[in-house]
Amino acid sequence: MEKRWVLATNFKEETVVRLAEELNIDVVLARILVQRNVCSFTEAKDFFRPDLAHLHNPFLMKDMDLAIARIEHALENGEKILIYGDYDVDGTTSVALVYSFFLKLTDQIEYYIPDRYLEGYGISTQGIDYANEQDFSLIIALDCGIKSLDKVDYANSLGVDFIICDHHLPGEELPKAIAVLDPKRNDCEYPFKELAGCGIGFKLAQAYAQKHDLSEDSYLQYLDLVMVSIGADIVPVLGENRILAYHGLKKLNSSPCEGLKALMEVSGKTDEYTITDVVFTLGPRINAAGRIDHAKHAVAMLLCEANGDALEKSVEINSKNTERKGYDQEITREALALIGDDEVLINRKTTVVFNENWHKGVIGIVASRLTETYYRPTIVLTKSNNHVAGSCRSVAGFDLYEALSGCADLLDQYGGHKFAAGLTMQEQNIQAFADKFEEIVGASITEELLTPMINIDASVNLSQIDGKFYRVMAQIGPFGPENMTPIFQTDGVVLANTPQVVGTNHLKISVKHQDSGIFDAIGFGLGEFEQSLVPNVPFSICYTLTENVWRDRKRLQLNLKGIKIS
């Protein structure tokens, strides 16, 4: 599938030149910093050296004082506290963090994760009933609850209090909880709005520790959990998240908790983790517990204090991930076949596919996979508990949630944001929904949005790239949403060897450019270009930079994202 190359223009050249001189760095790197709103020497100093001292005061968050007061009351009076969280990576890491922190202060505490299939997303009636039956008088809900107005009302009627710790966008009305911690509240003046759910849990622990003069390590010891949630929940790696991610990665790579250490061991990668590694290695394994079985097993693993126990639990979770991959691959093949056999579906501007036997736990992954082949808003549906459940994925620049709002009359429930959402409906509404969704999307989406895009940070000559260039670039990390790994474009490169296809359709070449040295390059999934590249005929490449180490020798490599032949 051909992709659009879009070169960044969101910078002032005079600011770039001044910053390059102040920092004594290549102008291309200064341009990348300015694109990330780092425009002065002072800002660059803070950016390159993320400092835990720059974390915001947790009591700036609306209702934090109320939350801490209610927890103090519970601890003083020996009340039972239930730590409640969502079944994804953000939810399970949140529960592990907050449960571990307060377990050191009381033994009247348990945790609860709803069953993905029996209870569904968010706060459940079953969870509240469990709390009431077991005499819990306080529930701390993490990574969920901001829209659970009726559930909190129900808990209030039973005399069970709630503290909500969420990072999702609130509705017009807030739940009637003792405290609602969510930086996205309109009346919350907390300076950073993009914390993950685990980040909110971290701020709760930080607030309690600061008020009660506990050591900084009492909450900083959980930075590896916070970082895993930041990576897996795809939140912006800017501001406070960047500080948390930077120090969380250092902890993960030096002294991770036993659960993460064991999971790293069974995954086959034990060191030098980046956020990308977390997203593709640790995140799917933690998620697999809730997708295939129950997310409480992921929390149990994260809470392990003995390596043997952690290893046993991580092996089991790893096997669930293998099982998840099987479902994922099989359903993706079936869904692609459904589209490929239907001329109408092929030519639509949306994908809506349904099979009552598909595993609900992987339909979100399948929706993402389908957009790799048919790049358009995509919904994968399956049968679940006497209704149809769906997972939705969008394309860059198109508001999926708004399109779903236009189909609300055909849906039982829906929720999410611009790029991803979930829904439920009655089976008899599927075709009417698919047609209306196609109509709404088709009326507003452009052909440009239906073409995948590669965002290029800067055009560069290969002669500019050396060890210093790479070392400075690496310090712009940790990379993630809104601070992505820089993608460079170089025009007029020529082959320095004969192209090879290796592995599963991967292109391996060497290139040179003007007076540069020779650079090795690998293009994953770009094997179709092998026959098109010929000696002495210039072509354009876009790529990221990586560093390979072989026998203690470091060598820069280009990781190709695209090739254009003049």
Side-chain angles (χ1 to χ4, degrees):
M1 188 186 300
E2 189 174 346
K3 298 181 179 180
R4 290 181 291 137
W5 295 14
V6 181
L7 185 63
T9 57
N10 58 327
F11 57 87
K12 291 183 178 178
E13 193 60 33
E14 58 267 30
T15 306
V16 170
V17 172
R18 186 186 71 247
L19 187 65
E21 291 175 353
E22 289 178 352
L23 300 179
N24 188 30
I25 60 173
D26 191 288
V27 70
V28 169
L29 296 170
R31 191 170 294 134
I32 290 168
L33 288 170
V34 172
Q35 288 166 20
R36 287 151 173 76
N37 294 314
V38 178
C39 300
S40 69
F41 180 87
T42 302
E43 289 172 347
K45 180 182 174 185
D46 289 342
F47 186 81
F48 282 128
R49 300 287 181 270
D51 191 341
L52 289 168
H54 293 158
L55 293 176
H56 301 303
N57 178 354
F59 287 99
L60 293 174
M61 197 175 295
K62 180 75 172 175
D63 282 3
M64 183 64 81
D65 54 339
L66 300 176
I68 296 302
R70 181 64 184 88
I71 292 169
E72 288 170 337
H73 184 272
L75 294 176
E76 288 165 7
N77 291 279
E79 293 180 52
K80 292 180 73 176
I81 303 172
L82 188 65
I83 309 300
Y84 187 110
D86 189 24
Y87 42 64
D88 67 359
V89 176
D90 195 16
T92 51
T93 52
S94 300
V95 168
L97 188 160
V98 175
Y99 175 82
S100 294
F101 180 83
F102 286 109
L103 182 62
K104 294 178 173 64
L105 305 172
T106 178
D107 60 359
Q108 298 297 299
I109 188 167
E110 285 184 26
Y111 62 86
Y112 186 98
I113 306 285
D115 185 288
R116 185 186 203 108
Y117 303 106
L118 299 178
E119 298 173 67
Y121 169 76
I123 294 167
S124 69
T125 303
Q126 295 97 312
I128 295 169
D129 287 341
Y130 173 82
N132 184 49
E133 290 160 7
Q134 300 298 318
D135 296 321
F136 290 94
S137 52
L138 176 61
I139 299 176
I140 301 176
L142 297 151
D143 190 34
C144 61
I146 196 64
K147 290 188 176 180
S148 299
L149 280 70
D150 57 336
K151 300 296 192 300
V152 173
D153 286 345
Y154 175 60
N156 288 337
S157 74
L158 299 174
V160 178
D161 290 340
F162 259 98
I163 293 171
I164 304 291
C165 303
D166 205 349
H167 69 122
H168 297 101
L169 199 63
E172 292 183 9
E173 189 179 346
L174 296 175
K176 293 181 174 63
I178 295 294
V180 178
L181 306 180
D182 188 336
K184 293 189 175 77
R185 286 178 59 166
N186 288 332
D187 59 348
C188 183
E189 296 182 0
Y190 191 75
F192 185 69
K193 303 295 183 182
E194 299 297 338
L195 290 168
C198 191
I200 309 290
F202 175 83
K203 300 306 290 191
L204 183 71
Q206 182 189 10
Y208 188 92
Q210 288 183 359
K211 185 171 181 185
H212 292 270
D213 295 322
L214 304 182
S215 69
E216 285 190 340
D217 188 59
S218 67
Y219 58 94
L220 293 180
Q221 65 180 295
Y222 304 115
L223 281 171
D224 50 352
L225 294 174
V226 179
M227 187 280 306
V228 168
S229 79
I230 288 171
D233 222 51
I234 320 295
V235 293
V237 186
L238 296 172
E240 197 164 33
N241 277 345
R242 189 165 179 275
I243 297 172
L244 294 168
Y246 177 86
H247 290 279
L249 276 171
K250 287 177 71 172
K251 185 173 191 310
L252 186 74
N253 285 314
S254 60
S255 56
C257 67
E258 289 296 338
L260 289 176
K261 181 180 177 183
L263 196 61
M264 292 159 73
E265 189 174 328
V266 301
S267 75
K269 181 175 173 61
T270 56
D271 59 5
E272 297 304 315
Y273 267 72
T274 64
I275 286 184
T276 300
D277 295 321
V278 169
V279 171
F280 291 105
T281 304
L282 299 183
R285 286 170 167 81
I286 296 172
N287 261 332
R291 292 186 190 279
I292 304 302
D293 189 357
H294 199 295
K296 65 185 179 184
H297 302 305
V299 178
M301 178 196 69
L302 294 172
L303 293 174
C304 284
E305 294 184 350
N307 180 257
D309 291 343
L311 203 54
E312 182 181 336
K313 288 180 170 61
S314 63
V315 166
E316 180 62 26
I317 282 177
N318 196 53
S319 73
K320 298 298 179 190
N321 188 53
T322 303
E323 191 177 343
R324 185 272 306 168
K325 286 181 184 176
Y327 285 125
D328 166 9
Q329 292 164 1
E330 180 184 356
I331 294 170
T332 300
R333 281 195 301 269
E334 291 177 1
L336 287 171
L338 270 180
I339 301 168
D341 291 341
D342 190 325
E343 203 65 33
V344 174
L345 280 181
I346 289 174
N347 293 309
R348 284 195 160 200
K349 294 185 177 179
T350 62
T351 295
V352 179
V353 287
F354 167 70
N355 184 314
E356 65 178 21
N357 297 315
W358 286 341
H359 196 294
K360 184 187 173 190
V362 300
I363 57 174
I365 300 170
V366 173
S368 296
R369 295 253 192 270
L370 295 182
T371 63
E372 295 170 9
T373 304
Y374 296 96
Y375 189 74
R376 57 200 191 188
T378 296
I379 301 176
V380 179
L381 304 167
T382 190
K383 201 81 172 282
S384 176
N385 293 338
N386 299 316
H387 62 252
V388 170
S391 198
C392 322
R393 297 293 181 269
S394 191
V395 296
F398 185 78
D399 192 332
L400 175 71
Y401 188 84
E402 186 176 330
L404 290 177
S405 299
C407 305
D409 59 314
L410 295 167
L411 301 175
D412 294 343
Q413 290 180 307
Y414 68 98
H417 49 78
K418 284 184 178 182
F419 304 116
L423 57 82
T424 60
M425 71 172 84
Q426 298 304 307
E427 188 170 351
Q428 63 266 26
N429 289 340
I430 291 175
Q431 191 56 54
F433 168 78
D435 292 341
K436 189 167 186 179
F437 186 64
E438 169 70 15
E439 180 186 339
I440 289 171
V441 173
S444 56
I445 200 165
T446 63
E447 286 302 322
E448 187 174 67
L449 290 180
L450 290 168
T451 306
M453 177 172 59
I454 299 176
N455 289 307
I456 295 170
D457 291 86
S459 183
V460 63
N461 295 325
L462 290 183
S463 58
Q464 292 173 264
I465 297 174
D466 56 16
K468 179 188 176 184
F469 183 100
Y470 178 79
R471 287 191 298 275
V472 175
M473 186 210 76
Q475 290 181 59
I476 297 173
F479 299 113
E482 298 191 35
N483 186 38
M484 297 298 284
T485 304
I487 296 179
F488 302 102
Q489 177 176 337
T490 303
D491 299 320
V493 303
V494 294
L495 288 174
N497 73 341
T498 302
Q500 289 178 276
V501 174
V502 297
T504 312
N505 197 36
H506 307 318
L507 181 70
K508 188 176 182 182
I509 58 174
S510 295
V511 295
K512 56 185 178 181
H513 178 243
Q514 297 174 359
D515 56 349
S516 77
I518 293 173
F519 283 82
D520 294 333
I522 183 78
F524 295 104
L526 297 180
E528 71 268 18
F529 285 98
E530 180 198 16
Q531 301 299 320
S532 308
L533 301 175
V534 295
N536 302 316
V537 176
F539 56 98
S540 298
I541 55 175
C542 63
Y543 53 90
T544 59
L545 282 176
T546 58
E547 188 176 62
N548 280 343
V549 181
W550 175 250
R551 292 180 178 173
D552 296 328
R553 291 189 63 186
K554 295 179 179 179
R555 186 177 176 88
L556 295 178
Q557 177 178 278
L558 313 182
N559 187 342
L560 300 176
K561 302 298 178 184
I563 294 173
K564 283 188 177 179
I565 300 169
S566 302

